[in-house]
Amino acid sequence: MRGATSILRYLAKRITLLFGTLIIATYITIVIANAGGYIDEILSAQIKYDITTNLARTQGWAQLPEEEKTRIINERFESAIKAKGLDKPFIERSFYYLIDALTLNLGRAIFITSASGSKRVADIILERLPITVLLFTTGTVLYSIIGLLVGVYMTKKPGGLFDKIFSIFAIVTEVIPPWFFGILFIMVFSYYLGLTPFGGIASVPPPQDPLGYFLDILYHASLPLFTWVFSLFGAWAYIARNLMVQIAEEDFVITAKAKGLPEGIVMRRHILRPSLPPIVTSISLSLITSWQGAIITETVFNWPGLGSLYSQAISALDAPVIIGLAVVYAYLLVVTVLVLDLTYSLMDPRIRGVA
Amino acid sequence: MSITGGSKDIFDAIFRSKPGLTGVLILTIIIGLSIIALVYVPFDISSKWNDITFWQFNPRLAPPSWINFFLSKKLPETIIIGEKDFAKYDYYVETAGLKHIVLEAKLDYLYEYYPSEVNAILYVNNSNGMLVTLKWIQPNGVEIYLSRLVVNDGINPIYFCTRKDVKEGLLNTMAKLGTVPPDTIKPEVLLFSDLNPSGGFNILRGTYRFKIEAETTSRNATIDSKLIVYGRVYGLAGTDSKRRDLFVGIVWGAPVALAFGLIAAILTSFIQTLLGTLSAWYGGLVDEIIQRVTDIYMIIPFLPILITISVIYKINIWTLLAIVVALSIFGGATKTARSMALQVMNEQYIEAAVSYGASRKRIMLLHILPRLLPYTVANIVLSVPSYVFLEAALSLLGLGDPAMPTWGKIISDAFEGGAVVHGLWWWVLIPSTLIIMTAIAFAFIGLALDKVVNPRLRER
């Protein structure tokens, strides 16, 4: 029981912090965006649109003279603005906006439409979200596993040839972002070798049968996945290796070795296990960076997730979508950290309260 | 973790290790390149880079000239016949009230490949309309009647490759010679081909003549011409789709990239370290606030906020730099610096300083901060590439500074211009190589410094 309460206390603290972060990130976005008057514009456009579409459905509307129509629209518009508190000073309004944004009430896009035909920003973004999450979660799981394995292998003989080569590989791939490798890999694997498609998620037209469709997506995802893993597993292995090399010098490891325990057991129980919590902490930080790196990587591979939506919205100057994306990204990062915190609290005995 | 310190250690670490030395060497070359930038390209780049007329005499999408070194059949360079190379004579016929001007230029074409384009530019002065006839005489004496057109005062570019009358002139010549014309008429190819029935449209090497005959009613009128036979290779780094010399863009990109990366890295690292030290040394409420703010800063979606700012305010590269710094005043280094400062604080010499009555501020600035210097330097070095790539990433999203030719801008232009899918390797690979070399240089120096900062990682 003591374990459970201390996990809960830890999580409650983290959730408060994360929720605070979410609110602050969203609020910053709102303040920045509204300094250009964008949010006011988005909201009044939304209200006007709602009023006009509602009125158009009422009986006898079409028969009214044009001035009468404008008068009614303006009247209702003004009262709606008052009712929503949009005539209040910005400080007060910003809190209404904050609540709207946090409940994903993000307004209507100017140019971009979702595949289902909706103009609501929330629809447009939520439709893309799974596509991004699918690719990059798979990629992240893959590079974490490969990286950890390589890290363990490097720890076996610190200073050995494998360790040296991989340290250099790690430090070189660490400083070069995945999207940059993406550009080079498209040139090599798609243009010169013709092995992979140039981008996108499926062929045009996509295959009809479900298995063919799945394989087609896999074929299109192969190069982005490879790029993601190639670019990130090295740094990851290096972090794991450094932590494990430090732990391998601790007295309890030396004792375990002196007792004559097999190397595999020493590695798993005495080295790998205590290094996992700090490894999880650093993965949560690197995940935050890589979620954002996904924006550019998707643009390069034309992968139709959030990142491509970003570049689409930037070139169309669709401000509501850009602001909405910033909010969704704040959610995405906060949820990622929360999930990792949960894992961390289950993994670290100090938090579990089992001393 | 024990903390060694001092600038001598930093120096030693860099110059006594192979990666450190390699990094310094690469960096020296790149800094040399940015010095060349100022010598080779003395003009104001930001006003010229997007000026199409400035680059109009370069071939479009040409690979660098040095590839000829690896080829047995050489690709042509651009040949420009300037105004002074034209033989010129004119006479005025009083009775008719007409002025005749004849310009003629000779062109030696000895390459085994066709040029990529042929243009002429006519500079007309003081004329109220001039009737111009253009003729092309091949080495074997075949005369091709290219065009007869009226040109006005000013600069008149004549694009042979797209003009209908040039095509007709070629077809007429072939009809006269009795040659069956090929399926596609490419003026830049046929102008340099043997058009005789037995010639088989093979390239004709030798001296060509380009003749301009002009007639006008104004007595003072003058005409000058320039003939540009665009090659298929150009310069040290080739050209892009707007005919810009990529070498100019790349050498100018070097100081911009280095300045952007270094300034951002130095400012953010110093501020973060300072805040971390403050947090440890003053403790209590200061510590709590700084740590919580750092926690929040580390999760905030940095790039989306940066994108929102760039989209809404359309900023230039130096404003972007200021915003990047403002968004990174708290970060990973704040946490590490705090934990390092906590260790230093427990050492005896700090206790000694406290006991002889040194002020808290003095102890922090003179006794604690210098000890964190190696860490800060390592942090600066390792974060430079990420800022260089950040600028490139924003360019790729279309948010870069449009006036400055940065490496990122060139790579993103290449990507958008289809260089990757059409295999225009020089446009992508040359700037990429430089950006990678810079990143690796900093990474190697960082690797060398890592051993000062984390002595436990020293190879045994």
Side-chain angles (χ1 to χ4, degrees):
Chain A
M1 270 329 279
R2 220 191 65 177
T5 44
S6 70
I7 289 183
L8 284 181
R9 195 177 307 137
Y10 169 80
L11 282 180
K13 225 171 119 185
R14 290 296 294 175
I15 288 171
T16 321
L17 179 84
L18 289 173
F19 194 67
T21 312
L22 180 67
I23 292 174
I24 289 169
T26 314
Y27 196 73
I28 291 177
T29 314
I30 286 168
V31 172
I32 291 167
N34 210 48
Y38 275 103
I39 295 186
D40 293 334
E41 246 168 61
I42 294 167
L43 270 183
S44 9
Q46 162 95 47
I47 291 170
K48 210 154 207 169
Y49 176 87
D50 288 346
I51 293 171
T52 343
T53 43
N54 270 333
L55 282 177
R57 277 194 227 113
T58 53
Q59 267 187 349
W61 175 253
Q63 279 76 42
L64 285 178
E66 210 50 49
E67 300 108 62
E68 186 68 8
K69 279 186 191 169
T70 355
R71 196 186 59 79
I72 296 178
I73 290 176
N74 282 343
E75 208 169 71
R76 296 213 180 175
F77 179 66
E78 233 118 273
S79 62
I81 292 267
K82 276 220 180 88
K84 275 219 155 187
L86 292 185
D87 52 343
K88 302 257 167 61
F90 176 68
I91 296 288
E92 215 171 305
R93 264 183 297 144
S94 66
F95 289 103
Y96 296 125
Y97 296 160
L98 181 64
I99 290 165
D100 270 354
L102 289 176
T103 51
L104 292 186
N105 199 350
L106 302 166
R108 306 180 71 79
I110 306 174
F111 305 107
I112 298 172
T113 318
S114 77
S116 57
S118 168
K119 278 241 164 243
R120 284 187 62 228
V121 171
D123 289 345
I124 296 173
I125 295 176
L126 293 181
E127 183 184 83
R128 305 274 196 128
L129 186 62
I131 303 175
T132 295
V133 172
L134 181 76
L135 179 67
F136 292 97
T137 314
T138 317
T140 304
V141 169
L142 276 179
Y143 88 67
S144 315
I145 294 171
I146 298 175
L148 200 60
L149 290 178
V150 173
V152 167
Y153 201 76
M154 284 163 86
T155 318
K156 279 190 180 158
K157 242 188 169 183
L161 185 67
F162 184 80
D163 185 31
K164 267 187 184 159
I165 290 174
F166 249 90
S167 298
I168 289 182
F169 173 81
I171 213 126
V172 168
T173 52
E174 152 115 67
V175 291
I176 299 168
W179 61 266
F180 196 82
F181 282 116
I183 291 181
L184 301 181
F185 286 174
I186 293 176
M187 197 150 187
V188 174
F189 292 105
S190 307
Y191 180 79
Y192 286 112
L193 300 177
L195 288 175
T196 50
F198 284 103
I201 188 174
S203 309
V204 183
Q208 288 303 312
D209 61 310
L211 180 71
Y213 189 60
F214 173 76
L215 289 177
D216 190 47
I217 290 180
L218 207 62
Y219 171 60
H220 280 79
S222 57
L223 192 60
L225 270 182
F226 173 72
T227 308
W228 197 247
V229 172
F230 177 86
S231 144
L232 296 164
F233 87 95
W236 183 222
Y238 191 63
I239 293 172
R241 175 251 183 215
N242 284 351
L243 280 165
M244 286 189 285
V245 167
Q246 282 186 27
I247 288 177
E249 285 178 359
E250 299 278 351
D251 292 342
F252 63 84
V253 178
I254 296 166
T255 316
K257 278 186 187 157
K259 273 197 299 191
L261 283 180
E263 209 172 308
I265 291 183
V266 175
M267 193 56 172
R268 271 198 304 276
R269 285 200 197 144
H270 296 85
I271 300 180
L272 194 54
R273 201 177 284 170
S275 7
L276 277 180
I279 288 179
V280 171
T281 319
S282 48
I283 205 183
S284 86
L285 288 178
S286 71
L287 256 181
I288 289 175
T289 339
S290 57
W291 274 130
Q292 303 182 57
I295 297 177
I296 327 279
T297 312
E298 277 190 7
T299 309
V300 167
F301 284 104
N302 202 11
W303 185 261
L306 293 182
S308 309
L309 183 60
Y310 243 124
S311 48
Q312 217 179 318
I314 290 168
S315 54
L317 279 179
D318 204 324
V321 177
I322 292 169
I323 296 162
L325 275 167
V327 175
V328 170
Y329 253 91
Y331 262 105
L332 191 62
L333 298 192
V334 162
V335 169
T336 309
V337 176
L338 188 65
V339 169
L340 283 158
D341 273 350
L342 210 64
T343 327
Y344 185 83
S345 64
L346 294 175
M347 219 183 263
D348 193 336
R350 281 165 298 188
I351 293 173
R352 254 186 317 187
V354 196
Chain B
M1 195 197 296
S2 76
I3 301 164
T4 51
S7 45
K8 195 180 165 297
D9 279 356
I10 300 175
F11 200 76
D12 275 3
I14 296 175
F15 287 95
R16 293 255 168 90
S17 79
K18 252 185 263 167
L21 214 57
T22 320
V24 170
L25 201 72
I26 299 173
L27 214 55
T28 317
I29 295 172
I30 289 163
I31 291 170
L33 198 65
S34 41
I35 294 168
I36 294 174
L38 306 172
V39 181
Y40 181 87
V41 195
F43 52 79
D44 175 21
I45 187 77
S46 53
S47 67
K48 291 281 190 286
W49 185 247
N50 288 316
D51 178 3
I52 297 168
T53 52
F54 186 78
W55 308 101
Q56 61 178 330
F57 301 124
N58 293 347
R60 196 191 297 272
L61 295 176
S65 297
W66 47 260
I67 61 163
N68 266 336
F69 189 73
F70 304 100
L71 299 172
S72 53
K73 280 181 165 184
K74 306 294 175 216
L75 288 166
E77 301 262 0
T78 300
I79 303 169
I80 297 177
I81 309 286
E83 291 99 317
K84 291 197 183 91
D85 301 324
F86 275 85
K88 187 172 176 184
Y89 66 93
D90 57 78
Y91 53 91
Y92 189 73
V93 183
E94 289 287 349
T95 48
L98 271 182
K99 183 173 185 182
H100 292 260
I101 308 171
V102 177
L103 297 176
E104 193 179 315
K106 280 188 179 144
L107 163 77
D108 292 321
Y109 199 80
L110 301 169
Y111 292 101
E112 290 172 80
Y113 286 98
Y114 293 104
S116 60
E117 269 173 87
V118 187
N119 292 346
I121 300 175
L122 304 180
Y123 304 91
V124 180
N125 232 335
N126 258 331
S127 167
N128 32 16
M130 194 182 263
L131 183 67
V132 175
T133 310
L134 305 175
K135 284 178 188 163
W136 183 258
I137 300 135
Q138 295 188 320
N140 56 4
V142 172
E143 186 175 297
I144 302 162
Y145 188 87
L146 293 175
S147 180
R148 191 175 173 84
L149 72 161
V150 176
V151 290
N152 295 313
D153 223 22
I155 300 168
N156 300 272
I158 316 253
Y159 305 110
F160 287 2
C161 301
T162 50
R163 284 189 76 95
K164 223 177 156 188
D165 44 4
V166 173
K167 268 186 191 176
E168 273 164 20
L170 282 161
L171 284 170
N172 288 340
T173 312
M174 281 183 274
K176 240 184 263 168
L177 293 168
T179 315
V180 182
D183 296 339
T184 47
I185 308 287
K186 281 188 171 172
E188 71 276 18
V189 171
L190 292 179
L191 285 175
F192 290 87
S193 290
D194 191 348
L195 299 178
N196 285 309
S198 56
F201 302 112
N202 288 319
I203 194 158
L204 207 56
R205 296 194 286 164
T207 308
Y208 287 80
R209 283 186 293 154
F210 176 52
K211 204 167 175 185
I212 302 167
E213 293 165 7
E215 287 172 5
T216 178
T217 49
S218 14
R219 195 166 190 154
N220 300 328
T222 56
I223 180 169
D224 276 305
S225 177
K226 206 174 214 174
L227 176 72
I228 308 116
V229 179
Y230 290 95
R232 292 187 177 272
V233 288
Y234 184 86
L236 281 170
T239 59
D240 68 4
S241 61
K242 289 181 178 158
R243 305 174 186 278
R244 294 184 288 213
D245 182 357
L246 288 172
F247 185 70
V248 171
I250 288 165
V251 288
W252 265 95
V256 176
L258 286 180
F260 187 88
L262 273 172
I263 295 173
I266 290 172
L267 287 178
T268 53
S269 299
F270 267 112
I271 296 172
Q272 288 186 10
T273 311
L274 184 67
L275 285 170
T277 317
L278 269 175
S279 183
W281 184 231
Y282 286 95
L285 192 62
V286 177
D287 187 22
E288 189 63 26
I289 291 172
I290 292 179
Q291 289 312 305
R292 289 298 81 77
V293 174
T294 310
D295 283 339
I296 290 170
Y297 250 77
M298 283 166 84
I299 311 174
I300 274 183
F302 171 83
L303 191 58
I305 289 181
L306 197 59
I307 291 173
T308 313
I309 297 175
S310 332
V311 168
I312 291 176
Y313 302 103
K314 314 243 173 355
I315 47 184
N316 70 16
I317 190 168
W318 306 116
T319 322
L320 182 75
L321 178 67
I323 294 166
V324 166
V325 172
L327 285 176
S328 349
I329 50 176
F330 299 92
T334 319
K335 299 237 154 194
T336 321
R338 175 178 178 270
S339 65
M340 293 175 92
L342 281 175
Q343 271 183 48
V344 175
M345 273 162 62
N346 287 329
E347 284 180 31
Q348 281 186 334
Y349 77 100
I350 302 287
E351 208 176 304
V354 174
S355 66
Y356 67 63
S359 75
R360 290 187 68 79
K361 209 168 104 194
R362 186 186 163 86
I363 297 177
M364 189 183 87
L365 292 177
L366 284 183
H367 300 303
I368 302 179
L369 269 180
R371 292 285 301 280
L372 300 187
L373 192 67
Y375 168 72
T376 314
V377 172
N379 201 24
I380 291 171
V381 166
L382 280 174
S383 54
V384 171
S386 64
Y387 291 112
V388 173
F389 279 111
L390 177 67
E391 192 277 323
L394 288 171
S395 292
L396 202 71
L397 287 173
L399 297 171
D401 191 329
M404 278 288 192
T406 62
W407 289 342
K409 186 91 186 74
I410 293 172
I411 293 168
S412 87
D413 280 349
F415 189 72
E416 265 144 37
V420 173
V421 294
H422 292 119
L424 310 172
W425 54 272
W426 62 95
W427 199 2
V428 180
L429 291 188
I430 297 175
S432 297
T433 309
L434 272 151
I435 207 167
I436 289 177
M437 291 315 277
T438 311
I440 290 179
F442 281 104
F444 276 1
I445 298 173
L447 183 71
L449 285 173
D450 214 21
K451 286 166 198 158
V452 188
V453 185
N454 300 323
R456 293 187 77 166
L457 300 181
R458 260 178 219 163
E459 293 151 52
R460 276 151 298 171

